[in-house]
Amino acid sequence: MCSLTVRSEFAWDRDGRWTTFEQSVTATTTTQEYSTRVRQAQEILRVEHRYDNSKGRSGGFFKDIEPGVVGLTPGQHLLVFGWILTFGASSRQRLGT
């Protein structure tokens, strides 16, 4: 079975109470998941991409501009791979049906 999920987030930190910087952050996350069952085991492969974008006078994400120099950039990408493997009886077998 294969599935695709897209979700968005938005945060506005007007006074810098959450992030200590005045900024608004938008994020979009896309997740693709593939699952298969082999006997009593289930395998899930997942890849997730997230893009964060910060707007604001003092907002942004830390980035190495050159060796030893850290600056801010308005956007950042994150790529995550996951592999989940579970073993056990199915819920029907545990309930005796």
Side-chain angles (χ1 to χ4, degrees):
M1 184 161 98
C2 190
S3 66
L4 177 68
T5 306
V6 179
R7 62 186 182 274
S8 298
E9 301 172 38
F10 175 77
W12 179 34
D13 196 0
R14 181 183 61 196
D15 300 322
R17 291 185 183 186
W18 302 332
T19 62
T20 66
F21 298 103
E22 298 173 12
Q23 63 180 328
S24 63
V25 179
T26 57
T28 303
T29 305
T30 306
T31 305
Q32 175 127 23
E33 182 174 287
Y34 173 76
S35 64
T36 185
R37 181 172 282 292
V38 180
R39 297 185 188 154
Q40 291 185 349
Q42 182 173 5
E43 179 180 54
I44 301 170
L45 301 172
R46 184 180 293 165
V47 62
E48 187 167 283
H49 174 260
R50 178 182 173 110
Y51 178 71
D52 298 305
N53 189 344
S54 171
K55 298 203 184 306
R57 195 170 42 132
S58 52
F61 303 97
F62 294 112
K63 179 180 181 179
D64 289 333
I65 296 174
E66 58 184 62
V69 179
V70 177
L72 291 176
T73 182
Q76 70 176 3
H77 292 272
L78 176 67
L79 187 62
V80 177
F81 295 94
W83 179 50
I84 302 166
L85 188 60
T86 61
F87 297 96
S90 69
S91 58
R92 287 186 177 180
Q93 290 174 334
R94 282 181 280 180
L95 295 174
T97 57

